[in-house]
Amino acid sequence: IVFEVQDVDQWKPAGGYEDVEHPVVATINNVPYTSLQAAVDAATANGGDSTIEVVSPVNELVTVTQTTGVNLVINGNNNNYNGTIRVSGRSNGTGAETLVINGFNFKATTGEACVDMYWGTENQTRYAHNVTISNCTFEMVGAAVHTSPAIDCYQPYNITVKGCEVKNAHSLLQVKGGHDGVAVEDVKVVDCKNGIAFGTHDGPVSVKNAEIKALGYGVRADGSITTT
């Protein structure tokens, strides 16, 4: 069967054809991706060491699944991030893989943390490991003011937060359940409900050079942990 169209222009919209652009959000080795999630998925699938360079503002929920042999750096390059990065540790506290989240200006409008390692089922959330969150700012607005923590995690291993500033949040960091190694340094907490909380047992944890202005506690350490 052959269809013959006599006049293609008869189907042309009144306003003409419009090109739809899909802006580049991130790159890996100069390969462009139109979403941060697509870049994360590609890096995970490729394996090995990858650095994602974010080149425009991010407005999405992204999930990073820590995978054996995948070491990932996500450089925000001071771009705004309206949304959440979720980290899945897959219950693998002894994993050697690393994750660095660096240089974002996060803004939260809901109750979920900006970097969330405490979501979904237990096997998804627990044991996030070897995660560094550095040189980021966090600001809560609207319904998120004094209700959302900047960073939330459940039974993590080797978590570092450094060079970060948070405003109008519930807290900078909430660590729930047992954990093994959390370090916080060179941080600033401004007009928040609370500062930093560490859950029960295990450790060690450390807080260095922290400036905290909060309505409630500054640093809370529950149970039997080693602190410095």
Side-chain angles (χ1 to χ4, degrees), residues 22-163:
H22 298 282
V24 174
V25 173
T27 65
I28 303 175
N29 295 328
N30 295 319
V31 177
Y33 296 88
T34 57
S35 72
L36 180 54
Q37 185 67 69
V40 168
D41 291 346
T44 303
N46 291 339
D49 300 346
S50 293
T51 297
I52 297 174
E53 300 290 349
V54 174
V55 298
S56 63
V58 181
N59 296 279
E60 58 182 298
L61 170 63
V62 171
T63 300
V64 178
T65 301
Q66 294 191 279
T67 302
T68 301
V70 177
N71 301 306
L72 183 59
V73 176
I74 307 175
N75 280 327
N77 294 306
N78 294 317
N79 278 289
N80 293 336
Y81 195 120
N82 184 11
T84 295
I85 297 177
R86 290 177 172 175
V87 180
S88 169
R90 299 186 307 112
S91 291
N92 184 20
T94 60
E97 53 273 8
T98 61
L99 170 64
V100 177
I101 299 170
N102 177 70
F104 282 104
N105 298 315
F106 285 97
K107 182 172 287 186
T109 58
T110 68
E112 186 167 7
C114 298
V115 179
D116 194 356
M117 295 173 267
Y118 188 36
W119 58 278
T121 65
E122 183 177 272
N123 285 342
Q124 287 175 311
T125 61
R126 69 179 181 178
Y127 304 169
H129 46 278
N130 311 321
V131 179
T132 298
I133 302 165
S134 57
N135 305 313
C136 291
T137 65
F138 304 89
E139 183 179 5
M140 311 303 162
V141 298
V145 172
H146 288 180
T147 61
S148 301
I151 305 163
D152 200 6
C153 49
Y154 178 58
Q155 295 181 331
Y157 286 75
N158 301 321
I159 306 296
T160 299
V161 179
K162 61 181 181 181

Side-chain angles (χ1 to χ4, degrees), residues 186-220:
D186 299 325
V187 298
K188 188 174 182 179
V189 179
V190 180
D191 296 333
C192 292
K193 184 176 181 180
N194 298 297
I196 302 164
F198 301 107
T200 56
H201 61 82
D202 298 335
V205 300
S206 66
V207 178
K208 300 178 181 179
N209 195 28
E211 179 182 342
I212 300 175
K213 181 182 178 182
L215 299 173
Y217 58 78
V219 178
R220 189 186 76 195

